[in-house]
């Protein structure tokens, strides 16, 4: 995984699929898209993540156990994701989440 250096004034949109909707749930897929201030896509990155447990309701995210079994664990993809999130504008996408959704306390 190659690190991408992002220079302001760019934005990074992050989308995460998890095994469920609670703090004990795990990441099964993560994606980041870097967009310039004028709307040009600069970088796209995504990966499946092996949660080290059941993938949860496939109807929630469409990801099956066979899809994530060869995937790296979160610890292996964390640095690649972090390299795309410099100290600039990050947009966290949580479609359908209730207002006031608590921040996850666990790193994955």
């Amino acid at each position: 995984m190659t690190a991408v250096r992002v220079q302001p004034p760019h934005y990074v949109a992050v989308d995460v699929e998890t095994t469920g909707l609670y703090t004990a749930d795990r990441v099964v897929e993560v994606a980041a898209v870097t967009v310039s201030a004028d709307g040009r896509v600069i970088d796209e990155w995504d990966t499946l993540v092996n949660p080290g447990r059941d993938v949860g309701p496939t109807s929630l995210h469409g990801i099956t156990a066979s899809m994530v079994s060869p995937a790296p664990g979160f610890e292996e993809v964390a640095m690649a994701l972090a390299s795309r999130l410099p100290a600039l504008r990050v947009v966290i996408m949580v479609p359908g989440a209730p207002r006031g959704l608590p921040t996850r306390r666990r790193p994955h």
Side-chain angles (χ1 to χ4, degrees):
M1 296 180 204
T2 305
V4 174
R5 291 282 175 226
V6 179
Q7 301 297 319
H10 299 325
Y11 296 83
V12 180
V14 176
D15 184 31
V16 177
E17 298 294 337
T18 64
T19 59
L21 302 174
Y22 303 99
T23 57
D25 289 308
R26 302 292 186 147
V27 172
V28 292
E29 183 178 29
V30 63
V33 178
T34 305
V35 182
S36 67
D38 65 1
R40 288 179 299 111
V41 173
I42 295 168
D43 180 54
E44 295 180 57
W45 175 83
D46 68 275
T47 185
L48 289 170
V49 178
N50 187 329
R53 56 166 276 191
D54 180 70
V55 295
T58 298
S59 61
L60 186 65
H61 46 60
I63 298 169
T64 64
S66 64
M67 292 168 69
V68 299
S69 64
F74 188 82
E75 296 77 13
E76 297 173 68
V77 300
M79 290 307 293
L81 175 60
S83 73
R84 289 165 168 80
L85 305 176
L88 50 94
R89 298 164 188 96
V90 176
V91 179
I92 305 296
M93 303 171 70
V94 187
R99 290 185 81 84
L101 183 69
T103 303
R104 295 181 70 110
R105 297 179 198 272
R106 298 178 63 149
H108 58 284

